[in-house]
Amino acid sequence: MRRLVAAVLALACLAACSEAKSSTPPVNWTKVDVGAEPVTLTQYGDQLLVGLRDRGAKVVPQLVVLDGDQRKQVKVTPSPKSPYAFEAIWYSIAYDGKQLLALGGAAGGAHSNTRWTVWTGTVDGGLVERPQEFNTFGGQTAGGLYSAVITPSGRALLGSWGGVETGNDAAVWLPESDAKWVRQNPAKTALQSTPSLLVGPSFGTTLGDSIVLVGSQVRLAPNVVVQEAAVWQSAKLNQGWRAIGLPDPGNRSQAMTASCDSSGCYISGYVDNQLAIWQLLRGGPAKRLKDVPAIPVGDKDKLPPPLAVGDKVVQIVAQDNKVKVVSGNDGGWTVRESNDGPQGPVVDAAYTASNKLYLIVGTSLWETKLN
């Protein structure tokens, strides 16, 4: 009798386990050949712009547009005056369906600092490099750059610069023309660091006319150093900046990436070395989403932007070089493993209007359809 009960229990457990596994099937990925090494993804509607790096080509930065079954190579033209443009790596490519704005960088000079290049154009007309004066992005107080953005109110390049008062300030460059980008003065705005609060955004995107920066702020006081995830949002382009400390920051936290739609933004990062996701409602407060799966994330990891898919948020994350697809919302989450396919560090992700999820892992582009 005991053996019969044990057998029944074992079968019940096996059935339950099988049912649990079937409820979270693995994700099947298909590799997409784009002719070179993908480094950035930019989505607009059904179009996917893939920034490429062709190490063996005369012009290393390249760009291809995937639109359904169609594929278009965008002409990329460096200026003969800019040797670093020929070997630039794309850091960010912005696209609003009409115009392109791209930020490239290549290490060079005696100290191997990044030499930044600005590119503008259209998908049909091509991307053309616009040489800038050295002091536009260089000099003793220069910081780094990380994002190019386009809003209905104008274009901007985002980065950091030596502080007006201390540390580094967040920096915004606006164009007087394609050939002249001018860094704006952050003094007496939320972008300025002070002796008691250092600002540290490291990623930028847009929300309507607003620019949204995410990163962390460091609070300083006698015997106190506290790093907290934070957001900086403008009212319109470079006007009306406000700083928002993200809730439930734990002992140490960092916001790393974000994506926005008409309702607001999802923001991804970590709290105490665990994956964290926040939601910033348009015109409202921010909240940290509950019960996000405990996946290790730290300073050396890279998180692609979180993706809004219906009423859920989808976050791609690599753990031990294995790609996981985390999806859900407050309190209800699913973690799906990936079948044989993408392995390695996650670089970028995008989701198109045709329900296709694209992912750069290592030096390859992959796609799947969410179901």
Side-chain angles (χ1 to χ4, degrees):
M1 184 65 179
R2 289 181 179 176
R3 290 180 180 177
L4 178 60
V5 171
V8 171
L9 290 174
L11 288 172
C13 178
L14 181 61
C17 293
S18 298
E19 185 177 348
K21 286 183 179 179
S22 64
S23 66
T24 55
V27 179
N28 297 307
W29 298 90
T30 301
K31 195 171 185 178
V32 183
D33 182 8
V34 283
E37 176 185 341
V39 292
T40 63
L41 298 177
T42 305
Q43 174 269 336
Y44 184 85
D46 234 3
Q47 292 181 300
L48 182 76
L49 279 63
V50 186
L52 304 173
R53 179 187 189 187
D54 189 339
R55 298 171 187 264
K58 180 180 178 180
V59 179
V60 171
Q62 298 185 14
L63 179 63
V64 67
V65 180
L66 306 182
D67 190 352
D69 295 330
Q70 303 297 314
R71 178 178 299 190
K72 178 181 178 62
Q73 191 81 28
V74 178
K75 185 178 180 181
V76 177
T77 306
S79 168
K81 300 177 182 178
S82 303
Y84 293 110
F86 286 82
E87 55 190 86
I89 301 170
W90 298 124
Y91 277 68
S92 178
I93 300 175
Y95 179 53
D96 65 353
K98 296 180 180 179
Q99 57 183 334
L100 291 166
L101 172 62
L103 175 66
H111 302 287
S112 291
N113 292 328
T114 302
R115 309 299 180 176
W116 300 102
T117 47
V118 183
W119 311 67
T120 62
T122 64
V123 167
D124 292 331
L127 261 180
V128 178
E129 193 247 335
R130 312 294 182 177
Q132 306 294 309
E133 294 181 356
F134 173 78
N135 289 327
T136 303
F137 305 119
Q140 291 185 347
T141 55
L145 283 86
Y146 43 79
S147 296
V149 296
I150 301 174
T151 77
S153 299
R155 304 168 294 166
L157 299 172
L158 310 172
S160 62
W161 199 265
V164 172
E165 191 173 352
T166 187
N168 276 349
D169 296 332
V172 177
W173 285 261
L174 300 180
E176 289 187 359
S177 66
D178 282 349
K180 187 175 182 180
W181 287 74
V182 179
R183 180 171 49 85
Q184 307 300 296
N185 185 359
K188 298 182 180 180
T189 74
L191 303 184
Q192 181 187 349
S193 291
T194 68
S196 61
L197 185 67
L198 302 179
V199 302
S202 55
F203 181 90
T205 186
T206 61
L207 175 58
D209 285 312
S210 301
I211 295 174
V212 177
L213 309 178
V214 303
S216 63
Q217 58 188 13
V218 177
R219 298 187 181 276
L220 301 175
N223 301 316
V224 174
V225 178
V226 179
Q227 179 182 333
E228 303 169 338
V231 173
W232 296 261
Q233 182 181 1
S234 68
K236 181 179 180 181
L237 199 58
N238 190 46
Q239 304 171 13
W241 285 98
R242 63 170 181 149
I244 306 165
L246 291 175
D248 303 320
N251 296 314
R252 183 172 181 268
S253 57
Q254 172 85 21
M256 301 169 75
T257 51
S259 63
C260 304
D261 58 22
S262 58
S263 63
C265 304
Y266 285 113
I267 302 157
S268 292
Y270 65 79
V271 172
D272 297 334
N273 294 316
Q274 299 287 329
L275 175 66
I277 302 175
W278 294 268
Q279 186 178 20
L280 176 66
L281 298 176
R282 185 165 191 162
K287 68 174 183 178
R288 183 177 169 188
L289 300 186
K290 299 177 182 177
D291 302 325
V292 171
I295 297 175
V297 176
D299 291 329
K300 294 183 179 181
D301 295 310
K302 186 167 184 177
L303 284 178
L307 307 169
V309 180
D311 60 351
K312 296 182 178 180
V313 57
V314 174
Q315 179 66 57
I316 310 296
V317 62
Q319 183 177 9
D320 299 326
N321 282 336
K322 295 180 180 179
V323 174
K324 298 177 183 290
V325 180
V326 179
S327 62
N329 216 311
D330 256 350
W333 298 91
T334 298
V335 179
R336 297 175 64 183
E337 306 286 341
S338 294
N339 269 343
D340 293 341
Q343 290 189 350
V346 175
V347 177
D348 207 352
Y351 178 71
T352 67
S354 59
N355 198 35
K356 283 189 176 181
L357 175 62
Y358 289 89
L359 177 65
I360 300 176
V361 177
T363 59
S364 300
L365 178 66
W366 301 82
E367 71 172 8
T368 189
K369 275 213 167 186
L370 293 179
N371 49 35

